Amino acid sequence: DEPCEWEKTELDQTQVEQRIKEYNSQINSNLFMSLNKDGSYTGFIKVQLKLVRPVSVPATKRVPSLQAGRPHPQGVKRRTSFYLPKGTVKHLHILSHTRASEVIDALLRKFTVVDNPRKFALFERSEKDEQVYLRKLGDDEQPLRLRLLAGPSEKVLSFVLKENETGEVNWDAFTLPELHNFLLILQREEEEHVRRLRHRYARCRQKMQEAL
């Protein structure tokens, strides 16, 4: 839960400029960092989305007017839920003072997700001695600053968006349409799981009968 020692490092303007030069010399893409005149800097971070639960997006259905000659049809706002594909990755161009909470907001806008941003959290992921470590970032932490301090290596530091787990799921935080969608998805998953189990045991039974 605690930041590493290098994450607590404070850099002056000269050190920031030197770090940016070193960072840009190590990457194999055009995702460079740039120093601004006001002392801030801009750059790219890559965030992997590892969401277990489905997300909600808006679905607007146009309903034709029942009154003849009415100029504007009414729009009924609806929601639909779906699972984001596994391994979904998004690059964001951000400022050095962009906060983790703002990164979450930007990611949700990119995918037009209408869920409450507080349902999600940004984590830093690192690999050391064949172990994987995850740390939840505070709302006010600055991901681009962490990226600069860590360098471009994804093993040293990468970012992951996950559900903001604080223990048991607070189902009261979801709307009725979301809960109905979750129940439908669970039912389909259960049916698919049962179908696979039955198929597996049917094949085993067939092999045994052939052996007999």
Side-chain angles (χ1 to χ4, degrees), residues 2-10 124 135 137 141 145-146 149 157:
E2 292 296 323
C4 299
E5 287 302 317
W6 59 265
E7 293 175 326
K8 302 175 183 177
T9 304
E10 294 296 333
E124 64 172 26
R135 183 178 74 88
L137 296 184
E141 291 194 63
R145 175 182 172 275
L146 298 176
L149 289 172
L157 175 71

Side-chain angles (χ1 to χ4, degrees), residues 40-53:
S40 64
Y41 49 95
T42 58
F44 293 85
I45 62 168
K46 183 174 75 171
V47 182
Q48 185 175 12
L49 283 72
K50 287 189 174 182
L51 301 178
V52 178
R53 295 192 290 270

